[in-house]
Each structure stands twice: as C-alpha cells, then as structure tokens.
Amino acid sequence: GVSPYPAKDVISIQSNDWGTVVTAEIYDITGKLTQTSQVNNGFIDVTFLHSGVYLLVAKNDEGKLATQKFIKQ
C-alpha cells in the first residue's frame, strides 16, 4: 500500500509479500506520465506534484508491476 493518504511530501510503499519495489512511475488523472523514479528504501519524493489524484505504477525486483491510486494534498 501507499501511505500517508493523502500524501504531502513523501509517499511510502509497503509490501510484505511482493518483494522490493525498485522503480515507480507516477501518472496524473489524464494518464500523463509525471515522474519516473528510483525507490529509495520504500520512499518516493512527491513534493513537486500539484494537488490531485495520481496513479502509482510500482515495479519490483522481479519485474512485476502493481498499481495504486493516491491523493497529493
């Protein structure tokens, strides 16, 4: 999951059974890619994002993808 909800400066990605998240892509509500970043110890900086709803696409160390909606405050 992604926390905190809503997010302010940083989001944390937790997954007990999914492996280590290594990269993340963040898309805005229109589907436009706004950020691609390496995940640092499960954290992603989102300070530059405007307030709104976003979709996080996370990739683990085995290449599997997972998606999660989050709100930036």
Side-chain angles (χ1 to χ4, degrees), residues 25-46:
E25 294 177 339
I26 298 175
Y27 295 87
D28 68 16
I29 197 69
T30 67
K32 179 184 172 194
L33 178 65
T34 61
Q35 177 184 1
T36 300
S37 66
Q38 298 296 317
V39 178
N40 186 6
N41 294 322
F43 293 95
I44 301 171
D45 179 11
V46 294

Side-chain angles (χ1 to χ4, degrees), residues 18 20 22-23 26 36 54 59 70:
W18 197 66
T20 302
V22 292
T23 60
I26 298 175
T36 300
Y54 293 89
K59 182 177 174 183
F70 72 95

Side-chain angles (χ1 to χ4, degrees), residues 6-71:
K8 285 189 176 187
D9 300 327
V10 175
I11 56 174
S12 172
I13 304 172
Q14 304 97 14
S15 176
N16 294 335
D17 58 351
W18 197 66
T20 302
V21 176
V22 292
T23 60
E25 294 177 339
I26 298 175
Y27 295 87
D28 68 16
I29 197 69
T30 67
K32 179 184 172 194
L33 178 65
T34 61
Q35 177 184 1
T36 300
S37 66
Q38 298 296 317
V39 178
N40 186 6
N41 294 322
F43 293 95
I44 301 171
D45 179 11
V46 294
T47 54
F48 70 94
L49 294 175
H50 297 291
S51 296
V53 178
Y54 293 89
L55 183 67
L56 172 75
V57 178
K59 182 177 174 183
N60 75 2
D61 52 1
E62 297 175 354
K64 295 180 183 174
L65 299 176
T67 59
Q68 177 75 48
K69 182 177 77 170
F70 72 95
I71 296 174

